[in-house]
Amino acid sequence: RLAVVWHTFGLGQSLPAVNALDYRDYKERGKLFEDFTHISGFETVMQANSNAELVRVGTVAANFFPFLGVEPALGRQFRDSEDVPGAARVVWIDHDLWQRHFGGSPTAIGKTVELEGAPAEVVGVLPRDFELHLPAETFLVGRPQIFRPSRIDWANQPARNNTGETVLARVKTGVPFGAAAREIETIAAGLRREVRELDAADLRASLIPLKQDVVKNVRDGLWALMGAVAFVLLIASANVARLLLARGLSREGEFRLRASLGASRADLARTVVAEGVIIAAFGTAVGVGVAQASLLVIRTLQAASIPRLASVTLDLRVTAFALGAALLAILLSAVIPGVRASSAVLTPGASANSRVIGAGPALRLQDRVVMAQMALAVVVVIGASFMIQSFRSLMDVPLGFESERLLTLRVAVPRSGYATRPATQEFWRRAEARVQRVPGVVSVSGISLLPLTGDGPTLAFAYDEQTARNWETAAADFRRVSPGLFKTMGITLVAGREFVDADVIDLQQGGTRKLVIDTALAKMAFPGRSAIGERLQVEPTAGPNAFAEVIGVVNPIALLSVGASGRPQAYQSDVYSRVWLSFVIRTTRPPQEIQGEVRRALLELTPDIAVQDVRPMTDVVQNALAPVLLATKSMSMFGLISVALAGLGMYAALAYSVALRTRELGIRLALGETPGALRNRVLRQGFRLAAISLVFGGTIAVLLAAAVRVSLYGVRLSDPQAYAMAMLILGVAALVACWFPASRASRVDPLVALRHD
C-alpha cells in the first residue's frame, strides 16, 4: 500500500519530487489514504568526538518513521513539536555511524553531533537492518545516514513549480490502488485550477507503487534470468526423466517378475519415484550449497547496484522453494518412467528379451525428450546472445569523457570553520594547488556531483515565450564545475570556450551568469544557429541574474547512466562556493598509486575535513555497468549450462540407442556394411534430432521475442545474428555429442554383437 507521488510538468521533467505546499494539500485533501509523509536531503560534514565525515542527511516529516512502521533500536521517535521552525535540533543516526563514532554505546542517546556548523542532539538510533529504498530518480537523498525533522517554514516557501520533496503515501486498507491514484490526479487537477504557476507548467500527478518504482530498472533483467532458470530446470528435468526411462527400460524384466510375485502398479511406480527423490535430495543439497556461495560473492560485488540485494538471504522460505522446485521437477521427470514401470503388471513374468521389448517406443520417446532439451537450450542461448550483444553495445557507447588515468574523490569542509563564501573558495583553491603538487598530477578540477553516481539537480530554463510562460516544461541536468573541468575530464568542447577564473569572479560580484551547455540543449533552444552569446532564462521571474549567457557548447556525457539519452545538460562555474564537492584529478601515473598521496596532501591543509570515496573513475564506470554485467554473466552461465545439459542428453540418448542396437549393428557389419557407413548412420540420426530441435527452438525464441517487453540497449530482438550464433553453438555441441556414440558404433565387433543378449 506504499506509493510515491510523481509530478510531471508539461513535456519537461518528470520526477518523484513535489513542493512542500503540494505535500500539505495532498495530506489535507486525500480521503483514500491513511497518511502521507515526505523526505528530502543533502550532504554535509558531520563532526562527532573530533571525527569528521561527509554524510547523507535525510530531512523528514516527524511522522516519517511511524509511517514506515520503524521503531528505533535506541531512543525515541521525533515529536511534532520538533518539526517546526526554531525547534531544538534533533537527529537519528544509522547503526554504522553509531558504531563508528560512539562505539555502539547506549550513552550515544543525548550526545550531540555537529551538522552544518550547529549542534544537534542524538535522540534515536536506526535498527541495524533498516534500509531506505526510494526511486533512482530521487535526487539529493540516496541512502541517508542521518535523519532530522525538516522543520518546514510554511509561510516562506518558493513557487509551487520549485520541487524538492519526495512524498510517500499509504493507501487505506481495502481501497483499490487505482481509486487512490485517480484521487491524486483529481487533487492535482484542482491545484492546476487554483495555482497559476502549476497551471502554466501543466502539472500532472501520478501515484506509483513504491515496490514497482524501486525495482523498475532491474525488473526486466530479473524476469529474463528467472525465465532462463526455468528453462535450465526443464532441461535438467528432461535429462533425469530420460535417465530414469532408460533405467526403467533395462529393468522391465525385474518389474515383470515383481508383478508376478504380487507387486501392485503403485508399488512399481513408487520404486522409480523413490530413486528420483534420492537423486533430487542429493542434487538439491549440492545446489543450495552452490547458491549460498554464489550469493555471498554477488552480494559483495553488486550490493550497491541492485535494490535490496544486500538483504537477500537463503532463508527457510527460499530453501523450501528450492526443495519444492526440485521435488516437482523429479515428479515430472518420473511420471513417464513410473507409468512404464507400473505397466509391467499387465504382462507379468520374466522375459529373456526384456531389454528390447518396447525399446522402439522408448527410443522414440527419448528422441522427443532430447529434442525438447535442445529446443529449450536454443532459447536460453539466444537470450544469452542478446545479453552479450547489449553489454558490448553499452561498452562501445561513448561516455563523453576519458575515464582512464582519472582519480576521483569527495571532500567536504565543516560549515563552522568556513561559514563565508570567500573562506570556502580560498580553501578549495589552496586544496587544488596542494593536490597539483603531487607527483604525476596533470590537472585538478571540481564538480558538484560526479557522472554516473546518481540523479542530481535539474535546471529549469526557457528559450522562448512559450517555455517562459509554461515554466518547468524545459529542464536540464545541472552541474556546478570549476574552470578547467572539461579539459581535465577530456570532455570535447564543440564551440565557444571553457570557464575561466574571470567568470567565477564576475559571478561573485553579481555579473551575468554564464553557462556551458551540451549540443542537445543547443539544438533544442537555438536550432539552426550558433548558441554562443545567446541567452537562456534560468529563473521563473525577471530580475537580476534571471538570464544566463551561453559561452560554450560541449558534447553530452553519461551523467546518469551509460547509454541513456537523458535530459539536456548545463554547467555553471560556482562549484567552489559549496562546502563539499568532488575532485577529478588527471594523472600520468596509475590512479591507485597516488590515492594515499592525494589524501595526505588534503589532510595536511586541515585535519577537520572529510576525504572519502577515493577511487579511479574507471571504478565508477564499472559500478554503473554492474547490473548489466551481472545479468550478462548470469545469462551466459545459464546458456553454457543449458548447452552442456542438452549436449549430454543427446550424447546419452544416442549412446543408449547404440547399446540397445548392438545386435542390429553387428548384423549390419556382418552383412558387409562398412564402419564408416555405420558411423554416418548414427550421425544422421543425431543430426536429424538436432535439426528439428533447432527449428523448434528458434521458432519458440522468435515467438517469445515478439511477446515479451524486455528492453536491451542496442539490440533488436529480431536480430538474426543472435539466432545464428545460438544455432552455431548448439550445432557444434550436437556434433560433439553425436560423434562419440557414432564412433563407438563403428567399432562394434560382429562376433560379440551376435552373442549380445
Side-chain angles (χ1 to χ4, degrees):
R1 294 185 291 125
L2 284 178
V4 185
V5 178
W6 279 67
H7 270 191
T8 300
F9 291 103
L11 300 177
Q13 68 171 1
S14 180
L15 292 170
V18 307
N19 185 278
L21 296 174
D22 300 331
Y23 158 72
R24 186 173 65 179
D25 285 331
Y26 288 131
K27 191 176 179 71
E28 291 175 352
R29 303 183 189 188
K31 306 303 181 185
L32 302 180
F33 299 88
E34 284 185 4
D35 205 355
F36 289 81
T37 193
H38 68 86
I39 180 172
S40 61
F42 60 94
E43 288 189 291
T44 189
V45 172
M46 182 196 78
Q47 287 188 299
N49 298 327
S50 302
N51 296 317
E53 183 175 346
L54 181 60
V55 295
R56 299 178 297 275
V57 180
T59 62
V60 299
N63 73 335
F64 186 76
F65 292 111
F67 175 92
L68 295 178
V70 176
E71 294 293 332
L74 282 176
R76 62 171 175 82
Q77 298 280 3
F78 293 135
R79 298 171 180 147
D80 290 339
S81 60
E82 294 166 336
D83 193 16
V84 295
R89 296 175 180 268
V90 294
V91 296
W92 275 27
I93 61 176
D94 73 4
H95 188 274
D96 290 342
L97 283 181
W98 177 51
Q99 291 290 331
R100 285 201 303 274
H101 292 280
F102 298 102
S105 171
T107 60
I109 302 299
K111 295 288 182 67
T112 60
V113 297
E114 184 179 293
L115 287 177
E116 298 185 288
E121 180 186 356
V122 177
V123 298
V125 176
L126 282 159
R128 182 172 193 160
D129 58 351
F130 174 80
E131 285 190 74
L132 179 64
H133 294 284
L134 295 170
E137 296 82 359
T138 304
F139 59 87
L140 302 180
V141 177
R143 295 187 179 182
Q145 299 158 283
I146 293 181
F147 292 85
R148 72 173 196 187
S150 56
R151 306 192 305 171
I152 294 174
D153 184 358
W154 298 105
N156 295 287
Q157 285 298 303
R160 287 289 190 108
N161 50 14
N162 189 321
T163 60
E165 301 291 334
T166 295
V167 172
L168 301 178
R170 184 181 290 277
V171 180
K172 284 183 178 179
T173 303
V175 172
F177 192 90
R182 286 191 293 274
E183 184 177 64
I184 288 291
E185 294 169 3
T186 302
I187 295 173
L191 293 177
R192 284 201 306 275
R193 292 191 296 269
E194 299 168 19
V195 182
R196 182 187 61 81
E197 56 262 35
L198 294 183
D199 180 53
D202 193 24
L203 166 70
R204 294 291 185 274
S206 55
L207 194 69
I208 308 297
L210 179 61
K211 61 181 180 181
Q212 171 184 322
D213 224 345
V214 169
V215 303
K216 61 179 179 289
N217 291 333
V218 298
R219 179 189 297 272
D220 285 352
L222 292 178
W223 276 116
L225 292 179
M226 181 62 80
V229 168
F231 279 12
V232 170
L233 180 62
L234 287 173
I235 294 170
S237 301
N239 258 344
V240 176
R242 191 202 54 73
L243 291 169
L244 291 178
L245 183 62
R247 181 168 173 78
L249 184 61
S250 66
R251 297 173 62 190
E252 284 195 357
E254 171 196 340
F255 291 147
R256 289 190 177 87
L257 183 58
R258 288 178 178 231
S260 65
L261 295 175
S264 66
R265 296 176 68 107
D267 293 331
L268 297 177
R270 252 195 320 266
T271 301
V272 176
V273 174
E275 291 181 354
V277 169
I278 294 173
I279 295 172
F282 280 103
T284 302
V286 174
V288 169
V290 172
Q292 179 64 49
S294 302
L295 181 59
L296 292 175
V297 174
I298 293 172
R299 194 162 55 213
T300 300
L301 297 177
Q302 311 287 342
S305 59
I306 297 181
R308 305 179 68 183
L309 181 61
S311 61
V312 173
T313 58
L314 287 183
D315 56 15
L316 288 177
R317 291 176 302 166
V318 178
T319 305
F321 176 82
L323 288 171
L327 183 60
L328 177 62
I330 203 65
L331 289 176
L332 292 174
S333 303
V335 166
I336 295 176
V339 170
R340 285 193 59 85
S342 66
S343 64
V345 299
L346 301 177
T347 54
S351 171
N353 295 318
S354 60
R355 287 199 57 178
V356 295
I357 293 176
L363 288 176
R364 286 192 293 274
L365 181 58
Q366 290 208 55
D367 288 349
R368 296 189 184 100
V369 171
V370 169
M371 286 190 290
Q373 285 181 290
M374 292 288 288
L376 292 174
V378 169
V379 177
V380 178
V381 173
I382 288 175
S385 179
F386 281 141
M387 286 281 193
I388 293 171
Q389 286 187 47
S390 179
F391 183 70
R392 286 178 176 173
S393 297
L394 280 174
M395 293 295 290
D396 292 338
V397 170
L399 298 173
F401 58 87
E402 299 172 8
S403 60
E404 297 295 331
R405 302 283 179 169
L406 201 63
L407 180 68
T408 69
L409 62 153
R410 295 197 305 159
V411 185
V413 297
R415 289 184 184 272
S416 57
Y418 303 88
T420 64
R421 177 173 290 189
T424 304
Q425 291 175 337
E426 176 60 25
F427 172 80
W428 291 128
R429 294 193 180 280
R430 289 171 52 219
E432 187 177 276
R434 183 67 186 85
V435 173
Q436 188 76 56
R437 292 199 295 270
V438 172
V441 171
V442 176
S443 60
V444 184
S445 300
I447 185 170
S448 55
L449 183 65
L450 283 173
L452 303 176
T453 56
D455 212 336
T458 59
L459 176 71
F461 64 90
Y463 53 87
D464 58 16
E465 182 179 344
Q466 181 179 355
T467 51
R469 184 173 59 253
N470 303 322
W471 193 251
E472 289 278 2
T473 56
D477 287 316
F478 181 60
R479 296 292 186 271
R480 301 178 188 274
V481 302
S482 70
L485 182 277
F486 302 114
K487 182 178 180 181
T488 298
M489 293 194 66
I491 300 172
T492 302
L493 187 67
V494 176
R497 62 175 177 85
E498 279 204 62
F499 295 115
V500 295
D501 290 337
D503 298 322
V504 180
I505 296 171
D506 186 48
L507 186 60
Q508 293 170 2
Q509 296 174 350
T512 302
R513 294 171 66 171
K514 294 180 174 62
L515 292 178
V516 172
I517 63 176
D518 73 342
T519 53
L521 200 158
K523 291 176 182 177
M524 175 192 295
F526 315 110
R529 66 183 190 273
S530 172
I532 305 304
E534 297 285 354
R535 298 203 310 164
L536 287 172
Q537 184 177 342
V538 291
E539 297 290 346
T541 56
N545 276 336
F547 290 85
E549 178 188 352
V550 177
I551 64 169
V553 178
V554 296
N555 279 334
I557 70 172
L559 271 184
L560 306 185
S561 62
V562 179
S565 57
R567 292 178 286 263
Q569 298 167 6
Y571 305 86
Q572 189 170 295
S573 64
D574 57 345
V575 70
Y576 284 159
S577 63
R578 300 164 55 87
V579 295
W580 68 267
L581 55 83
S582 294
F583 272 130
V584 288
I585 304 169
R586 176 67 60 187
T587 173
T588 58
R589 297 162 58 190
Q592 296 87 342
E593 288 186 6
I594 67 169
Q595 290 181 186
E597 297 174 55
V598 169
R599 183 188 293 272
R600 286 191 296 272
L602 290 168
L603 293 176
E604 285 172 2
L605 292 172
T606 175
D608 60 351
I609 64 172
V611 181
Q612 295 172 209
D613 298 336
V614 185
R615 53 181 175 167
M617 190 67 204
T618 50
D619 287 358
V620 176
V621 175
Q622 288 175 1
N623 287 342
L625 291 171
V628 181
L629 179 59
L630 176 62
T632 302
K633 287 183 176 179
S634 301
M635 198 72 178
S636 300
M637 179 186 68
F638 292 139
L640 290 174
I641 292 173
S642 64
V643 170
L645 289 175
L648 181 63
M650 176 165 284
Y651 163 78
L654 289 179
Y656 186 64
S657 173
V658 169
L660 286 180
R661 297 169 61 194
T662 300
R663 186 180 182 87
E664 172 203 337
L665 297 175
I667 293 174
R668 289 181 179 276
L669 286 171
L671 294 176
E673 190 166 352
T674 64
L678 209 58
R679 181 179 60 244
N680 292 337
R681 181 185 295 275
V682 177
L683 284 174
R684 281 196 300 273
Q685 178 187 351
F687 288 162
R688 180 180 58 83
L689 294 178
I692 297 173
S693 303
L694 294 178
V695 170
F696 274 111
T699 303
I700 294 171
V702 170
L703 294 175
L704 284 175
V708 300
R709 294 292 181 265
V710 176
S711 177
L712 297 174
Y713 180 82
V715 174
R716 292 180 296 106
L717 296 185
S718 59
D719 186 358
Q721 184 178 347
Y723 296 89
M725 184 182 298
M727 302 300 180
L728 177 62
I729 292 173
L730 269 297
V732 171
L735 175 62
V736 173
C738 296
W739 182 261
F740 293 102
S743 298
R744 178 185 172 189
S746 67
R747 295 193 300 270
V748 169
D749 187 336
L751 294 178
V752 174
L754 292 173
R755 292 197 299 267
H756 192 64
D757 286 339

